[in-house]
Amino acid sequence: MQTKAVLGLKEVNAILDAAQREAEANDWHITVAVADDSGELLALRRLDGAAPMTAMVSAQKARTAALSHKETRVFEDMINGGRNAFLSAPLAGLLEGGVPVIIDGQVIAAVGVSGVKSDQDAQVAKAGIAAII
């Protein structure tokens, strides 16, 4: 039988706190979402000044990263490279800023961030993940 790690509330809060610190250090108004490995939302934190739309976008980025086991940057690059047919895939959150959480080679969750440039969203997501690995 296989086993895998899962995020508990302690780890989820550590991710949110670290992501918030990274965003605030850069004066970025973002929303950060944490999803489990099936893409279901575990937590969402919208910082003061973040646009309402960022809540939906960050959650979709987290979901897409969890389900695909890939950073969402891969899909943004694919579409920008001309593979427009991928826009018909049954996923939202195809912009950079969704990052899977990988422990012992297994995707156990994902973090999605929205609110600034896509590479900055990814920077915040990775800062959050670094708090637990």
Side-chain angles (χ1 to χ4, degrees), residues 6-18 34 36 41-45 108-109 131-132:
V6 295
L7 295 182
L9 185 58
K10 178 181 174 184
E11 293 82 20
V12 170
N13 282 328
I15 291 169
L16 294 173
D17 292 344
V34 181
D36 66 15
L41 196 60
L42 294 171
L44 184 135
R45 186 178 294 175
I108 65 161
I132 64 160

Side-chain angles (χ1 to χ4, degrees), residues 28-124:
W28 294 336
H29 307 284
I30 56 93
T31 298
V32 57
V34 181
D36 66 15
D37 62 334
S38 67
E40 295 299 325
L41 196 60
L42 294 171
L44 184 135
R45 186 178 294 175
R46 191 171 112 195
L47 303 187
D48 291 345
M53 181 180 93
T54 61
M56 179 179 60
V57 174
S58 63
Q60 288 296 329
K61 287 180 180 183
R63 180 176 187 273
T64 297
L67 293 174
S68 70
H69 294 193
K70 299 178 187 323
E71 287 193 38
T72 55
R73 172 184 49 88
V74 169
F75 304 114
E76 182 175 3
D77 289 347
M78 186 185 310
I79 293 163
N80 288 341
R83 190 161 180 214
N84 297 329
F86 197 78
L87 289 169
S88 66
L91 296 168
L94 299 174
L95 302 171
E96 184 175 5
V99 181
V101 177
I102 302 171
I103 304 292
D104 296 329
Q106 294 182 312
V107 173
I108 65 161
V111 177
V113 176
S114 178
V116 286
K117 294 178 183 175
S118 60
D119 63 317
Q120 295 167 335
D121 288 341
Q123 176 182 328
V124 173

